[in-house]
Amino acid sequence: MSVEVGEKLVGKVTGVKPFGAFVELPNGKSGLVHISEVANKFVEDINDHLKVNDEVEVKVLSVGDDGKISLSIKQAEKPKKQRRAQSPEDFEKKLSNFLKDSEERMSSIKRQADARRGGR
């Protein structure tokens, strides 16, 4: 069984180094997850994220001519659900409510200021 670029697989971490982690794939081959491909945030110490024998889902980024397999954990993660787009009517309603509240607050502040000045 060959490994295809873009394929998602579940593998087992066999080694952790400061620069990345080695992952054994189901076909017996192994690849490297570079430290920059471990998480969507900055990873200072890979040991905070991965341990030997952890099962991880990886995405195959590349397979070199020399057989080296580059993997990514962060790209294998399912995309987060995107926020629902706001309709123009919803926006107009929110803007109208904001302006109404703002005008009420400004008139209240003005009345308080006038009262302090002696009601000019």
Side-chain angles (χ1 to χ4, degrees):
M1 178 179 140
S2 66
V3 177
E4 300 291 324
V5 173
E7 187 176 13
K8 290 183 183 178
L9 304 164
V10 175
K12 185 182 273 191
V13 176
T14 58
V16 178
K17 301 289 180 192
F19 55 84
F22 293 97
V23 177
E24 184 178 348
L25 302 173
N27 61 6
K29 295 184 178 185
S30 71
L32 175 70
V33 178
H34 189 268
I35 192 169
S36 65
E37 291 295 330
V38 170
N40 283 319
K41 58 184 180 183
F42 178 73
V43 177
E44 187 169 338
D45 184 359
I46 195 166
N47 293 300
D48 294 339
H49 296 268
L50 296 172
K51 306 279 183 259
V52 173
N53 292 326
D54 282 354
E55 278 201 355
V56 291
E57 184 179 15
V58 293
K59 180 177 180 180
V60 179
L61 298 180
S62 66
V63 179
D65 294 335
D66 55 0
K68 290 184 180 179
I69 302 170
S70 178
L71 305 169
S72 172
I73 293 172
K74 72 179 183 182
Q75 291 185 38
E77 292 177 356
K78 291 160 185 61
K80 291 186 171 62
K81 208 173 188 181
Q82 292 196 355
R83 253 177 52 178
R84 177 179 68 88
Q86 190 174 40
S87 70
E89 293 82 23
D90 289 343
F91 176 76
E92 292 294 329
K93 187 175 180 180
K94 286 182 179 181
L95 181 61
S96 174
N97 288 339
F98 171 79
L99 290 173
K100 181 180 167 191
D101 290 344
S102 177
E103 287 174 13
E104 288 174 0
R105 288 180 183 154
M106 289 301 292
S107 64
S108 173
I109 291 170
K110 187 175 182 200
R111 278 194 305 272
Q112 289 173 358
D114 286 347
R116 278 190 229 133
R117 290 188 201 129
R120 290 183 198 166

